Amino acid sequence: MLDVRNIFMSTIYLIKILGSLLALTFFSIFSVITTLRGNLGYKKQRIRQRIYKSGLFHPYCNAGGGGERVLWVAIQALQKNYPKAEFFIYTGDVEATPIEIIEKVRKNFNVDVSKSVKFIYLNKRKWVEADQYPIFTLLGQALGSLYLGLEALSKLNPDVFIETTGFTFTLPLFKYLGGCKTGCYVHYPTITKDMLKRVRNRQAIYNNRAVIARNPALTMAKLVYYHVFAWIYSLAGQCSDSTLVNSTFTQEHLNVLWNRPLHLVYPPCEVDHLKKIPRAAQRPKRIRIMSLAQFRPEKTTPYNSRPCTS
Ligand SMILES: *[C@@H]1O[C@H](CO)[C@@H](O)[C@H](O)[C@H]1NC(C)=O
């Protein structure tokens, strides 16, 4: 009888070896290109003198959600600490002018970033959208983000590149082709060991269609795909010079996958208006706290019903 597990493992090893060779080739080509361009010295010098150009990758910067607050508050903090640096945001919001975006940030978030922020408009944003890829969604989006990243890099090659929306695959691009210092803020891991576990246990869930869960051959194929994807995701993660995570949830998962130093920085939360609420003169006997949160399918933790700590 065929040993299914052996076939599975050998396939993964084979793909990994081929992948490593390919990665090595690309790595060498990239290094040669960057050395030839000889701009690395200047970049380092500009970073030392704190007059660097910083590119922030945030294709949906005009969306006005929690991830955007992180971006704007981070820029505000960077502007304060590096007054001579310039900040460029790569965005696909081609229909909004810089003034409109900055006004919206001031109005919605009460954050003023007008000083030294410029926008680099990208036209290929549709390539990173999940609904473009009904199958192989993770891979499709990863390749799409490389394509979008190339557009970004060709429009501006910064000294420091910061990725804030989970497009981890742009990091190797900017690090090796662009010769940039890189950093990222991770809200949510692209793939987790839990996702792999659900496929292995043939559970039909948001990331695993019933057709696949029912069929052992399809399950096997998907497992190979997920293993290889998790591995290239961790390779891409190695290209981050400095990594921040938004929660212990993301920290735990990335610890397993990336094996890199991670810094936990909780997202900023606007509380000024709450501080203004008048309080009763006497402290109430019981303090009740009501917390509103969103529920998302990807946050289920089916094997231990421990609530997720993010
Ligand atoms: C971290 O980011 C994810 C995705 O944006 C979000 O759902 C989660 O609530 C965040 N965690 C914290 C602690 O803010």
Side-chain angles (χ1 to χ4, degrees), residues 1 4 26 39 70 104 118 148 173 193 195 205 230 243-244 252 265 274 294-295 302 305:
M1 205 189 99
V4 176
F26 278 120
N39 60 6
V70 172
K104 188 170 162 186
K118 296 194 181 80
L148 188 65
L173 200 66
K193 292 279 172 202
M195 283 163 75
I205 200 167
T243 310
L244 309 185
E252 280 166 23
V265 179
L274 296 178
Q294 42 176 338
F295 293 89
S305 52

Side-chain angles (χ1 to χ4, degrees), residues 66-67 185-188 246-250 266-267 294 296 298-299 309-310:
Y185 188 87
V186 187
H187 291 259
Y188 199 83
N246 84 335
S247 55
T248 49
F249 174 86
T250 303
Y266 287 113
Q294 42 176 338
R296 293 182 175 218
E298 66 269 26
K299 286 193 174 167
T309 42
S310 82

Side-chain angles (χ1 to χ4, degrees), residues 67-88:
E68 286 67 53
R69 174 181 285 282
V70 172
L71 170 75
W72 302 116
V73 173
I75 290 180
Q76 210 180 25
L78 286 168
Q79 286 176 335
K80 209 171 134 209
N81 285 299
Y82 302 94
K84 288 194 214 135
E86 286 177 278
F87 300 94
F88 297 85

Side-chain angles (χ1 to χ4, degrees), residues 5-19 196 220-229 231:
R5 205 187 139 73
N6 267 345
I7 298 180
F8 176 60
M9 289 321 285
S10 340
T11 318
I12 287 183
Y13 285 140
L14 206 68
I15 294 175
K16 281 192 180 180
I17 292 166
L18 285 176
L196 288 166
M220 174 72 84
K222 182 152 186 174
L223 265 183
V224 172
Y225 163 52
Y226 263 27
H227 267 98
V228 171
F229 188 83
W231 172 69

Side-chain angles (χ1 to χ4, degrees), residues 66-301:
E68 286 67 53
R69 174 181 285 282
V70 172
L71 170 75
W72 302 116
V73 173
I75 290 180
Q76 210 180 25
L78 286 168
Q79 286 176 335
K80 209 171 134 209
N81 285 299
Y82 302 94
K84 288 194 214 135
E86 286 177 278
F87 300 94
F88 297 85
I89 299 173
Y90 298 106
T91 177
D93 294 306
V94 286
E95 71 296 333
T97 66
I99 295 177
E100 281 168 354
I101 297 177
I102 285 174
E103 255 322 294
K104 188 170 162 186
V105 173
R106 199 199 312 274
K107 234 176 61 208
N108 289 7
F109 295 130
N110 194 20
V111 173
D112 180 11
V113 288
S114 47
K115 193 181 105 210
S116 71
V117 168
K118 296 194 181 80
F119 294 87
I120 309 283
Y121 287 98
L122 306 176
N123 300 311
K124 300 191 167 43
R125 187 174 74 182
K126 74 162 198 281
W127 293 100
V128 299
E129 276 157 25
D131 47 16
Q132 293 278 339
Y133 312 99
I135 58 166
F136 295 113
T137 314
L138 290 179
L139 186 66
Q141 282 185 293
L143 294 176
S145 72
L146 275 178
Y147 191 47
L148 188 65
L150 266 180
E151 187 194 3
L153 184 59
S154 67
K155 290 192 166 155
L156 172 85
N157 183 348
D159 302 308
V160 177
F161 175 73
I162 301 171
E163 196 292 309
T164 47
T165 39
F167 295 116
T168 309
F169 292 90
T170 55
L171 292 170
L173 200 66
F174 278 80
K175 190 175 173 75
Y176 294 120
L177 200 55
C180 311
K181 277 266 169 236
T182 56
C184 60
Y185 188 87
V186 187
H187 291 259
Y188 199 83
T190 303
I191 191 163
T192 62
K193 292 279 172 202
D194 286 342
M195 283 163 75
L196 288 166
K197 198 151 60 171
R198 273 172 237 157
V199 178
R200 194 176 324 123
N201 293 352
R202 302 180 57 187
Q203 235 180 351
I205 200 167
Y206 75 95
N207 71 333
N208 199 30
R209 267 177 275 193
V211 202
I212 293 179
R214 273 197 305 265
N215 185 321
L218 285 180
T219 292
M220 174 72 84
K222 182 152 186 174
L223 265 183
V224 172
Y225 163 52
Y226 263 27
H227 267 98
V228 171
F229 188 83
W231 172 69
I232 49 175
Y233 179 60
S234 74
L235 281 187
Q238 306 310 304
C239 299
S240 170
D241 293 323
S242 175
T243 310
L244 309 185
V245 290
N246 84 335
S247 55
T248 49
F249 174 86
T250 303
Q251 190 176 31
E252 280 166 23
H253 283 285
L254 278 201
N255 253 336
V256 179
L257 283 165
W258 285 16
N259 190 23
R260 303 270 303 164
L262 303 172
H263 309 280
L264 176 59
V265 179
Y266 287 113
C269 193
E270 168 85 322
V271 291
D272 280 350
H273 59 296
L274 296 178
K275 286 198 264 180
K276 287 188 197 124
I277 300 173
R279 275 186 277 178
Q282 262 181 356
R283 196 192 168 127
K285 276 212 187 71
R286 264 172 64 193
I287 297 179
R288 273 185 284 186
I289 298 175
M290 182 173 75
S291 161
L292 294 179
Q294 42 176 338
F295 293 89
R296 293 182 175 218
E298 66 269 26
K299 286 193 174 167
T300 51
T301 42

